[in-house]
Amino acid sequence: MGNDTPKLTRFSKIIFTLCAVMFVAGAVSLFFVEDDAAVSRLLFQMLELFVMMVVIFIPRILNRMVHIKVPMAMDIIFVAFCFGTMIMGDVADLYGKIPWWDKMQHGISGVLLGILAYEIINTFNKVDGKEIRFPPLFVAIWMVCFALAVGAFWEIWEYVTDDMFGFNSQQYLSTRGTFDNSVPLVGHEALKDTMQDLMLDLLGSGAIAIVSFFLLRKQRKNLNDK
């Protein structure tokens, strides 16, 4: 990457190294595991670890491709959140061991995605620091829609991995846990986890969108008064 692209933070380097070591350990373990269910679990864990290693570079990719500079604090929070979701949640199976882990992650994700959406649109929103191009209401709606779109993509990801590997990421089985293999729920109960996750995404991004709406409206008024 170019010289203007920020380097990985020390925290990101530690997380990347940890994921790389776990990925190699998983690859080696494949040679000693014969049970099909265990092999599927290892493959899924390795996939999550690989995705996590790619995700670490997203702030740098955004900076390189669309010139969006992610603050270091936001970078660290983003990497920590993804690690908590994919590695701690799925690989370490905290989704199954700690009932509130999934809901906490989705609540945080709504806030973070709202902030990310604001940073993205803010790149195109100001003209020479003298004009705010998009109305505050449009920005607020964009933030919520962006968070819900990413949240929906995540639910699709969980559905696909549940279907491919026989997991329980969407909590559609009668007992909790990512790797349980119990009786599937039916009707409204089968949709409960997915819909609650999306509602938490909505609440988190909605709260940030409301704050951003009033801040942008105040900034626009101050610019117009000059």
Side-chain angles (χ1 to χ4, degrees), residues 105 117 128 140 164 188 198:
Q105 293 295 313
D128 298 327
M164 290 179 62
H188 190 269
L198 290 174

Side-chain angles (χ1 to χ4, degrees), residues 106 113 145-159 170 194 197-198 201:
H106 276 278
L113 288 171
C145 289
F146 179 86
L148 286 177
V150 176
F153 177 81
W154 179 257
E155 294 302 321
I156 292 172
W157 166 262
E158 287 188 337
Y159 176 85
Q170 291 192 307
T194 298
D197 289 347
L198 290 174
D201 291 336

Side-chain angles (χ1 to χ4, degrees), residues 202-223:
L202 174 62
L203 287 174
S205 61
I208 294 297
I210 291 171
V211 173
S212 299
F213 170 81
F214 287 107
L215 288 176
L216 279 175
R217 191 170 71 170
K218 183 178 180 180
Q219 291 177 17
R220 200 174 197 186
K221 183 178 183 299
N222 291 338
L223 288 173

Side-chain angles (χ1 to χ4, degrees), residues 17-170:
T17 302
L18 178 62
C19 290
V21 170
M22 294 172 67
F23 183 89
V24 173
V28 172
S29 299
L30 287 174
F31 292 98
F32 302 95
V33 176
E34 297 181 357
D35 180 64
D36 290 340
V39 170
S40 294
R41 177 174 179 172
L42 275 172
L43 288 173
F44 175 72
Q45 290 175 334
M46 290 173 64
L47 176 61
E48 291 275 59
L49 288 164
F50 175 78
V51 172
M52 181 67 216
M53 287 188 286
V54 173
V55 161
I56 288 173
F57 290 93
I58 286 180
R60 273 139 292 282
I61 294 171
L62 288 173
N63 181 273
R64 177 70 179 247
M65 297 183 66
V66 292
H67 306 294
I68 295 176
K69 294 183 179 181
V70 179
M72 182 181 293
M74 185 65 185
D75 188 336
I76 293 173
I77 292 172
F78 170 73
V79 172
F81 168 75
C82 292
F83 185 80
T85 299
M86 291 188 287
I87 309 306
M88 299 302 295
D90 281 328
V91 176
D93 195 24
L94 291 190
Y95 287 143
K97 297 173 182 176
I98 303 178
W100 48 262
W101 187 264
D102 179 57
K103 303 311 173 193
M104 179 187 72
Q105 293 295 313
H106 276 278
I108 295 173
S109 73
V111 174
L112 293 181
L113 288 171
I115 295 173
L116 176 59
Y118 179 83
E119 292 295 332
I120 291 174
I121 200 169
N122 196 48
T123 304
F124 311 99
N125 200 19
K126 292 186 178 180
V127 181
D128 298 327
K130 300 177 181 179
E131 178 185 351
I132 296 179
R133 180 181 289 118
F134 302 115
L137 181 60
F138 175 84
V139 174
I141 293 174
W142 150 257
M143 292 168 65
V144 173
C145 289
F146 179 86
L148 286 177
V150 176
F153 177 81
W154 179 257
E155 294 302 321
I156 292 172
W157 166 262
E158 287 188 337
Y159 176 85
V160 171
T161 54
D162 284 354
D163 190 57
M164 290 179 62
F165 299 101
F167 298 151
N168 188 26
S169 301
Q170 291 192 307

